[in-house]
């Protein structure tokens, strides 16, 4: 069954081009997933279409108001859908989370902004909170794009070659081995001899060793 994603954002144009490009664009074009981008402001009913307000208790920045978000999610949600808020204080995105999301049939993503969103939205309307890393973006729209890209790769048929999923970083808990293509000699830099040898056992051994070497140097935490 195809996956439908509704994305609620104050910056719908931030994601438009992204959805048309590359593997994700092809997945959408071939009907394997559908992404609908909604401007949260269309659920703001006051004259000035106000989506945010100053925080109670004081502090800098603005807070996303509950009314438009409740109205939007109530209009879009379906039985059994998953409502997700992108936030730096959410659970870190992982392949396990991406795979789980790819198995759903309807996701609603809420992108926050500024200082955050009214807590009552999180308490009443959100099922899952996801962070894409320990840094703060100006709003969650790019974070939603990252999550959509990461989950799309787990939807059967989105990646041309099913094999490309099995051999890569993080499904194996090791970082990738180096890749080379033609020409075998380029500006004095040559491709490692073993890769040209046709000896598959030796190639596999070489690749395993490079993966271990790279992981030890860059991400020793993955080896624990
Ligand atoms: N919104 C702002 N920063 C974010 C992050 N790191 N992850 C998810 N959503 C965000």
């Amino acid at each position: 069954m195809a996956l439908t994603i509704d994305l609620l954002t104050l910056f719908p144009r931030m994601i438009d081009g992204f959805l048309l490009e590359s593997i994700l664009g092809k997945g959408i074009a071939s009907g394997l997933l559908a992404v609908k981008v909604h401007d949260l402001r269309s659920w703001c009913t006051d004259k000035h279409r106000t989506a945010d307000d100053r925080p109670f208790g004081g502090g800098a920045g603005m807070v996303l108001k509950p009314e438009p978000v409740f109205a939007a999610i109530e209009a879009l949600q379906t039985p059994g859908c998953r409502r997700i808020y992108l936030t730096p204080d959410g659970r870190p995105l992982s392949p396990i989370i991406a795979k789980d999301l790819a198995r759903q049939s309807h996701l609603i993503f809420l992108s926050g902004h500024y200082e955050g969103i009214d807590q009552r939205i999180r308490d009443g309307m959100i099922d899952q909170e996801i962070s894409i890393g320990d840094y703060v973006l100006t709003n969650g729209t790019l974070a939603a794009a990252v999550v959509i890209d990461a989950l799309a790769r787990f939807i059967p048929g989105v990646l041309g070659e099913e094999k490309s999923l099995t051999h890569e970083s993080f499904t194996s808990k090791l970082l990738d081995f180096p890749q080379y293509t033609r020409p075998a000699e380029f500006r004095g830099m040559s491709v490692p001899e073993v890769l040209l040898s046709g000896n598959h056992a030796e190639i596999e051994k070489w690749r395993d060793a490079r993966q271990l070497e790279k992981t030890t140097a860059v991400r020793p935490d993955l080896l624990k």
Side-chain angles (χ1 to χ4, degrees):
M1 193 212 283
L3 167 62
T4 301
I5 299 172
D6 285 294
L7 170 61
L8 286 165
T9 171
L10 289 166
F11 309 99
R13 283 176 305 168
M14 278 186 83
I15 196 165
D16 283 352
F18 164 79
L19 295 173
L20 294 171
E21 292 298 324
S22 183
I23 287 172
L24 191 62
K26 277 187 211 140
I28 290 170
S30 54
L32 295 167
L33 84 159
V35 183
K36 300 181 212 162
V37 184
H38 307 272
D39 190 341
L40 250 182
R41 259 181 237 285
S42 48
W43 280 278
C44 298
T45 50
D46 65 299
K47 195 167 76 192
H48 297 107
R49 302 219 147 184
T50 321
D52 49 29
D53 207 338
R54 285 169 297 145
F56 278 125
M62 299 290 268
V63 174
L64 194 58
K65 291 163 64 63
E67 302 95 315
V69 181
F70 270 71
I73 294 180
E74 277 162 1
L76 296 171
Q77 67 189 354
T78 54
C81 77
R82 182 92 59 87
R83 302 162 303 179
I84 295 158
Y85 173 47
L86 287 310
T87 173
D89 59 12
R91 288 240 162 78
L93 180 63
S94 67
I96 292 164
I97 289 177
K99 216 179 218 169
D100 172 54
L101 295 179
R103 277 198 292 262
Q104 309 302 313
S105 57
H106 185 197
L107 303 172
I108 298 176
F109 284 109
L110 173 65
S111 152
H113 80 143
Y114 302 134
E115 292 305 285
I117 67 173
D118 191 289
Q119 181 61 34
R120 289 166 292 188
I121 300 169
R122 299 168 80 147
D123 294 342
M125 280 295 181
I126 294 298
D127 306 305
Q128 187 173 3
E129 301 185 338
I130 298 176
S131 164
I132 63 157
D134 289 341
Y135 39 80
V136 182
L137 305 168
T138 54
N139 73 86
T141 309
L142 285 179
V146 167
V147 176
I148 291 168
D149 195 286
L151 74 85
R153 302 174 67 262
F154 288 106
I155 297 173
V158 165
L159 291 187
E161 243 183 300
E162 299 294 336
K163 237 176 87 196
S164 43
L165 258 185
T166 58
H167 233 287
E168 67 174 22
S169 296
F170 300 113
T171 40
S172 70
K173 285 276 180 196
L174 288 176
L175 302 184
D176 274 352
F177 49 78
Q179 296 276 22
Y180 295 88
T181 187
R182 270 166 287 273
E185 183 84 30
F186 175 69
R187 297 193 179 184
M189 298 176 281
S190 29
V191 173
E193 205 63 50
V194 60
L195 299 179
L196 311 174
S197 69
N199 184 333
H200 293 291
E202 281 304 309
I203 290 171
E204 193 147 341
K205 231 167 74 187
W206 181 86
R207 286 178 165 171
D208 288 348
R210 297 293 80 72
Q211 283 194 277
L212 197 57
E213 193 175 77
K214 172 96 180 181
T215 310
T216 306
V218 177
R219 291 292 304 275
D221 56 298
L222 293 177
L223 297 171
K224 282 187 214 120

